[in-house]
Amino acid sequence: MEYVSTGRAASDYTATINDLVTRARENPTWKREYMDAMMDTVRQQREMREAEEQGMAQGEHRRAMEAARRMLQDKLSVELAAKYTGLSVEEVRQLQKNMIQ
């Protein structure tokens, strides 16, 4: 506990640990490996966030397409289906063509 509050090693054991930590901090290879690992972690977190956002967007689009399909089945116009779902008129027209085939 003394080491934490004063920064001085009170025993040989604490002194050994302090020496090992100091050498590790000053080791350029260790620093590079540590920074590479940290950058990999940040990159993985960003990729996971982007994948999650993409998945959410795909799910929203799928739900909009399903809603538009039901609207077209109920004889709602392409324009109104596009307006209410947020899809483009072209997307709804393509959906309508696919339903006819």
Side-chain angles (χ1 to χ4, degrees):
M1 195 55 132
E2 181 179 335
Y3 180 80
V4 174
S5 60
T6 66
R8 289 186 302 247
S11 69
D12 289 341
Y13 180 71
T14 308
T16 300
I17 292 173
N18 184 56
D19 182 50
L20 291 171
V21 169
T22 300
R23 282 193 279 158
R25 284 184 182 154
E26 294 171 356
N27 183 321
T29 301
W30 181 84
K31 281 184 180 181
R32 188 174 350 91
E33 290 172 356
Y34 176 78
M35 290 305 296
D36 288 347
M38 290 303 295
M39 293 301 291
D40 285 345
T41 299
V42 169
R43 188 175 15 264
Q44 289 171 355
Q45 289 173 343
R46 184 183 67 242
E47 289 170 357
M48 287 175 59
R49 197 170 35 255
E50 289 170 356
E52 182 180 357
E53 289 171 3
Q54 182 180 14
M56 295 292 284
Q58 288 173 347
E60 289 175 13
H61 186 262
R62 193 173 297 125
R63 282 189 296 278
M65 291 291 282
E66 179 58 27
R69 185 185 64 73
R70 287 191 308 269
M71 290 176 190
L72 293 171
Q73 286 174 336
D74 287 346
K75 308 295 187 222
L76 206 63
S77 72
V78 168
E79 291 75 16
L80 281 177
K83 176 182 177 180
Y84 295 140
T85 62
L87 297 171
S88 70
V89 170
E90 184 55 39
E91 284 178 296
V92 179
R93 281 191 183 124
Q94 186 61 45
L95 177 63
Q96 187 178 44
K97 287 179 188 176
N98 291 344
M99 288 172 58
I100 294 172
Q101 296 174 355

